[in-house]
Amino acid sequence: MNIKLVVVGKLKEKYFAAAIAEYQKRLSRFCKVKMIEVRDEKAPESLSSAEMEQVQAKEGDRILAKVSEREYVFALAINGTERTSEAFAQQIKDLTTYGHSDLTFIIGGSLGLAPAVLKRADDQLSFGKFTLPHQLMRVVLCEQIYRAFMINSNSPYHK
């Protein structure tokens, strides 16, 4: 099984990088994990709606260039579906059971994901209505993917 995270922007904080590396190491017994960073667009604080759409579209093009047709894609979106950890684990188990061995998770930039990315996604996943820094969201996502594998292997980790 292959898990890919396509994320906008560079991870600068060493402590987030260390946490992600730890989860990637833990996940290595279950799957291959790959983190792909795409360049973010400069986005000053005061952008018009049209400028915001342009930024999203440019980042979206970079994201979509990293996604193949056969991948099952989760877009992280605030308006996506919230799940429990157990339901997420079951979904991953079901997907792999029915032939989806390449799962891709997309985390957009500070302005969110372009409509084209949301359209390409097979599912939209929400971690709630909170706004979290994108770097921290990477850590949270990696932990939840690891938790899902631990739940599916009947490990006590998730309790």
Side-chain angles (χ1 to χ4, degrees):
M1 159 160 248
N2 299 301
I3 303 273
K4 181 165 65 176
L5 283 72
V6 180
V7 298
V8 174
K10 291 243 179 266
L11 186 61
K12 296 172 185 93
E13 295 84 355
K14 287 183 179 14
Y15 47 90
F16 287 149
I20 289 167
E22 176 63 27
Y23 285 114
Q24 285 178 310
K25 185 176 88 177
R26 292 181 186 191
L27 278 164
S28 68
R29 67 188 250 223
F30 301 109
C31 61
K32 290 182 183 173
V33 181
K34 187 176 184 181
M35 179 88 60
I36 298 175
E37 294 179 334
V38 299
R39 189 170 58 83
D40 58 340
E41 280 295 303
K42 299 287 179 243
E45 290 298 315
S46 56
L47 291 177
S48 69
S49 294
E51 289 169 323
M52 288 172 120
E53 287 173 16
Q54 282 182 327
V55 167
Q56 283 181 328
K58 286 178 183 176
E59 291 175 348
D61 288 344
R62 291 183 194 125
I63 290 167
L64 292 173
K66 303 296 182 187
V67 178
S68 76
E69 199 56 39
R70 72 176 195 284
E71 297 169 25
Y72 189 94
V73 176
F74 290 91
L76 272 65
I78 201 158
N79 293 322
T81 305
E82 292 181 45
R83 296 165 180 79
T84 63
S85 295
E86 292 79 10
F88 181 54
Q90 186 63 52
Q91 184 177 17
I92 288 177
K93 184 187 233 177
D94 291 346
L95 286 168
T96 56
T97 300
Y98 297 107
H100 295 285
S101 60
D102 296 311
L103 304 182
T104 297
F105 295 85
I106 297 173
I107 301 175
S110 61
L111 299 178
L113 291 168
V117 175
L118 295 173
K119 185 172 187 258
R120 167 56 186 92
D122 297 289
D123 199 347
Q124 292 183 31
L125 181 61
S126 174
F127 282 80
K129 301 296 180 193
F130 285 115
T131 300
L132 296 173
H134 295 265
Q135 295 84 353
L136 177 58
M137 196 63 237
R138 293 182 200 189
V139 176
V140 172
L141 177 59
C142 287
E143 192 282 334
Q144 284 298 303
I145 293 168
Y146 175 67
R147 182 176 296 270
F149 278 100
M150 294 303 283
I151 289 169
N152 289 338
S153 67
N154 296 314
S155 167
Y157 168 84
H158 70 282
K159 302 212 180 220

